[in-house]
Amino acid sequence: MANRLLGRCARLIGKSSSQPVAPAAAARFHLTLAGPVEVPRIRSRLWVTERFLCERAITKDEPLPSLPVRTQLDEMIEKASTPEEILCAWEEHGGNSNQAAAALRRWTQLMLKTKGKFKGDQTDVLTDPRLLDMMDTLSKHVSLVWNGNLVTALRTLGIMKVPPTNPVLSSVQTEVLWRVRRLSCKQLAFLIDWGAGKKAPQDVAIVNSALKQLELRWTEIADAKTVCVLISRGEKMAPSLMDRLEDKALELSESFSVDDIRKVCVALAAQSRRSVPLLRAVSYHLLQKPSSEFTTPVIMDLAFAYGKLNFTHSQVFQRMASELFPRVPELSPTDVTRCAKSLGFLKWLHIPLFEAFAENYTANSEKYSTLQLCNLLMTFARLGFQPSKGEEFYSKVHAVLKESLASLEPFLQTDVVWSLCVLQQAKPHYLIPLTQTSHVTNLSEGSPARVENYTLKLLHIATTLLLEQPGSSDTVPSLGVLSVPATSSSLSELQSSLREALQSLVGGKTGALRTGVDTVYGWTIDGEIVVDCDNKPVDMSMLKAPHLPNGGGDQDLPAGARRLAFLVWEFPSYGSKSRDLLGRFVMMKRHLQLAGFILVEVPYYEWHELKTEWQKLAYLKDKMGKAVAEDIAK
């Protein structure tokens, strides 16, 4: 506040001194204008108030820095097209340490451009006397090298594979450590990027010093490139610093290019940092970019990042699909399976795009590896997608699996066969080997959650063999070693509400209702009742129940009675922005219907509209009546 007041006074005094002053005014300002020394001093204070906060303070007597005069050596370095020209120019003209750092950087760039990266023994190159003189000049007067050239010199020496014991490298490293407080944020980011993966003590010290400075000065970051570089190296940073960098990226997201957005998203995915505000911001700005910037690698990386972070943004997905769809015939098998797998994780089905994926495989099946085909099948099964030209597509699939399925690793083999069951393409010779005790034993290794997951998949495969391939049912008894996993997850709000409504529906009769029924088919039924010909619940405690592990009672189902299964479809049961069930739940419906159940489906979007108990009872009765009527009509 005081600086601002002094600045305003200086401007007023300056105006007064440049205009004729009346005698009375002159008398008033006589003390202020008595000497010419005061006005420049106050103007100097005004200039100080207008400096950026991050700039170094300049004393009164310190001369302003001036750019050095360009020499012939500088021009020759810029125009050089071969490494030899750099060395000849240095031999002819020589130069100071700052020019040596610039020449060394340019020489390295030309070496990489003309001869590729430094490989093997480079003794003959690094012992050139002209190059050694350049490095010696840099080392002797390293304190005179500009900050930018000093930082790049450090990377240049690393590219040249200079040994850690080299005195030139040691002097540059020491100077960087001394100057780290005076480096800009961009130069600090450069050091952090350069030091990624380095384990030498001096290199680690430089990176740690740069990180410490960045934690103190992160507010000075003002360009998108620096933020992108730092976020991409977030594994070395403290979580608090990463949070601040994400805030800074959110602030600068409008200036991000498509490539910057790609780098940030991939870095967040690699570090499993699901920053929703930042992802929303970059998604918005991504939609504003022209189509020319949506290259295929960018689309692939973005699909991976969104899938890894489980972040759904329909407008971005639609844009990526529309940009990618015309290019699908030109995509490699790797790109097709990679993109399909990412969209599968997001449960996002774009039918034209997936039709194009299927056609790409049909046209180029010989280019796909077995693993790529497996990934494609598992994605189709997850989304419940059936190609329109399914006969042609699956004929090529079966031709490959006939030869390679048996050689797959047991867990992958189970995943693929389970996916074929979802897609209704499982053949008996795929299913029978997986029902053998030897295969079941192979899947018993791993964490309890993994073992339970694959046990359920084997039960689904056995159910497919039993219900959809009845002629092969004599091979199923070998699955007796499998136990039906009990449901351990807590009840959702919808499931609890449905159970309460079903209790009211049966009038509180204990034997007329089962809830949370774990079946021998590997599926869990939310509610089960048996109704007579008048749709009235009956006691089923003594009735046979082949779907239960213990088989139920010993009485047959009464004539005209029907067994009803209530299934809750939660939000995750559907595809993204869709009311189509995912593949596993479609298979669940198919299996339970084949097992003799009449299904009463309770979707979340219908149940949440019901506010009172009376509405819920009326809804269930109406659903039951329609389900029974449809069964009678069939």
Side-chain angles (χ1 to χ4, degrees), residues 298-309:
V298 166
I299 294 174
M300 295 299 160
D301 286 345
L302 288 174
F304 161 76
Y306 280 73
K308 180 74 161 51
L309 296 172

Side-chain angles (χ1 to χ4, degrees), residues 494-560:
L494 197 158
Q495 289 174 320
S496 299
S497 178
L498 176 64
R499 291 189 181 187
E500 293 174 3
L502 289 175
Q503 288 287 355
S504 300
L505 181 66
V506 300
K509 298 177 183 178
T510 307
L513 173 67
R514 293 192 186 103
T515 57
V517 183
D518 295 317
T519 67
V520 295
Y521 310 122
W523 304 112
T524 299
I525 300 173
D526 294 292
E528 177 193 356
I529 64 174
V530 175
V531 297
D532 57 18
C533 56
D534 296 323
N535 279 356
K536 302 294 183 182
V538 299
D539 191 327
M540 56 180 173
S541 57
M542 302 304 295
L543 299 179
K544 291 181 180 179
H547 59 284
L548 296 179
N550 59 11
D554 55 359
Q555 298 179 11
D556 293 329
L557 206 63

Side-chain angles (χ1 to χ4, degrees), residues 333-334 336-338 340-342 344-345 354 368-382 412 416 419:
T334 301
V336 170
T337 52
R338 184 184 177 197
K341 191 173 182 179
S342 298
F345 278 126
F354 274 78
Y368 281 73
S369 67
T370 303
L371 183 59
Q372 289 169 339
L373 173 59
C374 293
N375 280 318
L376 198 61
L377 288 174
M378 288 188 284
T379 300
F380 284 6
R382 175 176 172 82
L412 178 59
V416 172
S419 299

